[in-house]
Structure formats: structure tokens, C-alpha cells
């Protein structure tokens, strides 16, 4: 049982490290704020969640200590990480940060123009 528990813990921690490495590469390699925010939010959230799950399984299966606080941390991170990145990206767009020149589609442009017309903002 201990070997299976250790394999499970190692799997989650290694998966978390891989996701965090992907997030770091994405932040360094992608061209603009929006794609970097996407890479940082999705991959780092998954990475930290996997590491927290590995920690949770370690304490539960190896140390016989069930800690629901870690699961609440995973849930909190799952909810707040992507939402925070979305809000940051949207506020950057409204503040005037231009997307990369190779951007194919701009779904937010019409919505922002409509909002500005409604509020009489130029």
C-alpha cells in the first residue's frame, strides 16, 4: 500500500512540476500580455493544484492525517486563478494594451465599443 501511495504522490507532484514548467515557458515565449496571462493562469493553476493534491495524498495515505483544508485550498485556487487572470486581461484591454499584431480575432472590441457608447465615453 505504501508503494502505491508513494507512486500516487509522486505522480501528482511531477505532473504539477510539468504544468509549472509549461507555464514558465509560456510566459517567456508567448508574444503579448493576453497570451502570457492565458499560459500563466491555466498552467500554473493546474500545476499548483496537482502539487497540493500530491501533498494531500501524502498526508492522508502515508501519515494518516486527513486534512480538508488542502482540498479547500485546491478549490479556492481552481476558482480564483483563472478568474483573476481574466479580470486582469480584460482591464488591460480596456486600458488600451494592444494585442499582438498576429491576433486573428478580437471578440472583445465590439463589446467594449458598445459599452463606451452606452456610457458616452470617447
Amino acid at each position: 500500500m505504501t508503494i502505491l501511495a508513494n507512486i500516487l504522490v509522486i505522480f501528482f507532484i511531477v505532473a504539477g512540476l510539468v504544468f509549472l514548467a509549461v507555464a514558465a515557458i509560456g510566459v517567456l515565449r508567448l508574444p503579448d500580455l493576453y497570451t502570457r496571462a492565458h499560459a500563466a493562469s491555466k498552467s500554473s493553476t493546474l500545476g499548483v493544484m496537482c502539487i497540493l493534491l500530491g501533498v494531500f495524498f501524502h498526508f492522508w495515505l502515508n501519515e494518516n492525517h486527513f486534512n480538508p483544508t488542502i482540498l479547500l485550498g485546491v478549490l479556492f485556487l481552481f476558482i480564483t486563478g483563472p478568474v483573476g487572470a481574466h479580470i486582469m486581461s480584460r482591464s488591460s484591454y480596456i486600458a488600451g494594451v494592444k494585442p499582438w499584431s498576429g491576433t486573428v480575432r478580437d471578440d472583445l472590441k465590439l463589446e467594449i465599443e458598445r459599452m463606451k457608447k452606452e456610457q458616452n465615453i470617447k
Side-chain angles (χ1 to χ4, degrees):
M1 181 68 182
T2 304
I3 293 173
L4 290 176
N6 286 337
I7 289 173
L8 186 68
V9 169
I10 290 170
F11 170 76
F12 274 108
I13 290 178
V14 168
L17 291 175
V18 169
F19 279 123
L20 289 178
V22 168
I25 292 169
V27 168
L28 292 175
R29 297 280 303 168
L30 292 175
D32 67 347
L33 180 134
Y34 306 106
T35 54
R36 288 179 185 159
H38 176 78
S41 65
K42 304 295 187 285
S43 298
S44 66
T45 300
L46 284 174
V48 174
M49 283 176 46
C50 284
I51 289 173
L52 284 175
L53 284 175
V55 169
F56 171 76
F57 284 126
H58 169 74
F59 281 110
W60 186 28
L61 300 174
N62 292 338
E63 307 289 332
N64 290 326
H65 179 71
F66 184 81
N67 191 353
T69 308
I70 295 174
L71 293 178
L72 287 175
V74 169
L75 179 67
F76 179 76
L77 190 67
F78 182 73
I79 293 170
T80 59
V83 171
H86 176 77
I87 291 171
M88 181 186 71
S89 297
R90 192 174 180 114
S91 63
S92 298
Y93 189 90
I94 292 170
V97 176
K98 299 289 181 201
W100 178 47
S101 60
T103 300
V104 177
R105 210 166 96 184
D106 189 0
D107 290 339
L108 199 54
K109 185 176 183 178
L110 295 175
E111 180 68 22
I112 297 298
E113 288 174 357
R114 185 187 62 79
M115 287 174 45
K116 285 182 177 177
K117 279 184 181 178
E118 286 179 2
Q119 297 173 359
N120 293 328
I121 299 173
K122 294 182 182 181

